[in-house]
Amino acid sequence: MKRETPSHLTRRQILRRACGITATALVGSMALTQAGTASAAVAASKRFDLTDASTEWFREILLNETRILQSFAFDNINKHLYTAQLVQDGRLLPGETRAFTGADRSTNGDLCITRLDWQGQIIGRMYLKGFGHGVSIGAEPSGNGTYVWTETNSVPDGNNDGYGTKVARFKFTNGAVLQPDSAQVTRYDPVPGSDHNTVAVDPVNNRIAHRYRLSGTWKYSLYDLAAFKAGTFTALATITQPSVLTGPTFQGYTTMGQYLYTLDGTAYTYDNTGKQTSTSNTYVTSIDWNTGTVYERRLSNAGESLFYREPEGLAIQIPDTTNPAAARLFLGFGSEESVTRTDKKASFYYKDLLV
């Protein structure tokens, strides 16, 4: 049966429906049972409506490495996109006497940071040896340059994947290869004894979120960015990860205003003929920094036609810096062309309805 598009919809609304989202609402009573503990006093703000359909920005662009996108961040002043990947198998970096396998790179926590313009073209890359897994990164504009925030001082977990035990800040330098103790790297230890450290930057409110695991418990803390840079680790908010995020595969997070946003899910599965055998289990969740309560949790079908389609990262973009209220919540996905053509590509979709 032919389905007609209602005449009152704009072209943009039509496109957004085409990249749509299927919503399974988390009702209020359930949200209360999923709340983590919290200690905070973050000013009230608008939130992204997670029922809002997702608009495609880039579909299946190439990054510097052939491995999956891990996370990404925006420099909204200089209009750059930064992505994190684990270094690919066989890559020989300056100063190395032999090439390492992909498994070696994962264990050591060796990352590639790729810089792209907002047309999707690669305009730089640098390498980080012994930093971590790249679950989340941040970008901080500085004049014509950018400081990148990542995890660092990687330690392998039980699966031999390296994750950071500290936080790092360094200026993006095309072609550079950094170690955790490189002079260009400033390291921070906001929660001594924690592991799986990652960060995300709120470019609207100049804050930084820190996710970490301490004594087996996942927590998030929110800081003023300037204070954090100065080494003052007085959190504006600290919450325990809600139990609804305990089972799913965690894939990234970001923050804006009063709300923390998380991404979880896994890639589609296929049989040996390439027929898809699973459906989307990608969820976006918003959490109130003040209470630790899950406000909304929605199933996303953004990019549902991608082959493989693994959710990888969240970030905030401000397309017009004169109007920071017109921010976008971006979702990242890694994909493959087919069962046999497995080099990874990256796709990005966004929501921009604030309520």
Side-chain angles (χ1 to χ4, degrees):
M1 182 176 99
K2 180 178 178 181
R3 177 173 296 173
E4 295 183 350
T5 303
S7 59
H8 66 275
L9 290 181
T10 66
R11 180 177 180 275
R12 185 166 184 276
Q13 288 171 319
I14 294 168
L15 288 171
R16 291 169 75 172
R17 285 194 170 193
C19 300
I21 182 169
T22 300
T24 53
L26 188 68
V27 297
S29 59
M30 184 177 179
L32 293 176
T33 68
Q34 302 293 353
T37 58
S39 174
V42 180
S45 72
K46 291 185 176 182
R47 60 176 175 81
F48 287 103
D49 183 349
L50 301 185
T51 66
D52 182 34
S54 298
T55 301
E56 184 178 285
W57 193 51
F58 292 144
R59 182 181 176 91
E60 295 194 297
I61 61 172
L62 291 172
L63 305 179
N64 196 70
E65 305 297 285
T66 59
R67 300 184 72 173
I68 197 79
L69 169 74
Q70 293 289 348
S71 59
F72 61 101
F74 291 101
D75 175 337
N76 295 294
I77 301 296
N78 297 299
K79 298 193 181 305
H80 292 154
L81 168 65
Y82 291 87
T83 65
Q85 299 167 278
L86 287 161
V87 177
Q88 69 188 45
D89 178 81
R91 173 78 72 191
L92 185 65
L93 299 179
E96 294 180 339
T97 57
R98 69 175 181 90
F100 293 89
T101 66
D104 291 334
R105 297 297 191 183
S106 297
T107 299
N108 196 51
D110 294 346
L111 297 173
C112 175
I113 304 296
T114 303
R115 180 171 64 187
L116 303 97
D117 61 25
W118 283 11
Q119 288 71 51
Q121 300 300 311
I122 294 174
I123 54 174
R125 77 280 296 154
M126 66 184 301
Y127 292 92
L128 314 175
K129 297 179 64 175
F131 276 62
H133 199 70
V135 173
S136 183
I137 63 172
E140 176 196 349
S142 177
N144 294 326
T146 308
Y147 282 91
V148 178
W149 290 85
T150 67
E151 63 200 284
T152 192
N153 288 64
S154 178
V155 173
D157 66 1
N159 295 319
N160 279 329
D161 290 320
Y163 290 89
T165 56
K166 290 181 172 61
V167 173
R169 177 181 181 263
F170 52 88
K171 195 163 189 177
F172 181 88
T173 305
N174 187 31
V177 179
L178 301 182
Q179 311 265 6
D181 60 357
S182 294
Q184 302 95 314
V185 179
T186 302
R187 286 180 288 179
Y188 304 86
D189 192 10
V191 184
S194 62
D195 59 25
H196 287 70
N197 283 248
T198 53
V199 287
V201 170
D202 175 350
V204 175
N205 299 281
N206 293 312
R207 295 172 182 157
I208 187 168
H210 174 217
R211 182 178 187 256
Y212 56 94
R213 189 176 66 176
L214 184 65
S215 301
T217 300
W218 292 100
K219 290 183 176 290
Y220 303 79
S221 291
L222 183 67
Y223 300 89
D224 174 78
L225 180 59
F228 193 97
K229 283 193 294 183
T232 301
F233 305 127
T234 303
L236 303 172
T238 295
I239 64 176
T240 301
Q241 181 166 280
S243 59
V244 72
L245 300 180
T246 300
T249 299
F250 189 86
Q251 297 285 15
Y253 66 103
T254 194
T255 182
M256 194 177 89
Q258 184 185 348
Y259 297 92
L260 170 71
Y261 299 91
T262 67
L263 181 71
D264 60 81
T266 55
Y268 295 148
T269 56
Y270 299 86
D271 63 21
N272 56 11
T273 68
K275 181 180 179 181
Q276 187 176 316
T277 56
S278 66
T279 56
S280 175
N281 63 359
T282 296
Y283 281 86
V284 185
T285 303
S286 57
I287 303 162
D288 189 330
W289 276 112
N290 286 313
T291 63
T293 299
V294 172
Y295 191 93
E296 191 174 14
R297 179 171 170 79
R298 303 286 175 173
L299 177 68
S300 173
N301 286 327
E304 62 183 335
S305 63
L306 294 168
F307 186 83
Y308 184 81
R309 184 188 178 268
E310 184 172 1
E312 297 287 356
L314 294 175
I316 301 295
Q317 184 199 49
I318 308 172
D320 178 3
T321 54
T322 66
N323 183 21
R328 296 169 172 176
L329 175 64
F330 264 79
L331 294 71
F333 293 91
S335 63
E336 300 172 354
E337 288 187 38
S338 68
V339 170
T340 57
R341 303 180 67 180
T342 59
D343 286 359
K344 304 300 189 293
K345 295 183 177 180
S347 301
F348 301 91
Y349 299 80
Y350 67 86
K351 301 177 183 299
D352 60 359
L353 179 59
L354 286 162
V355 293

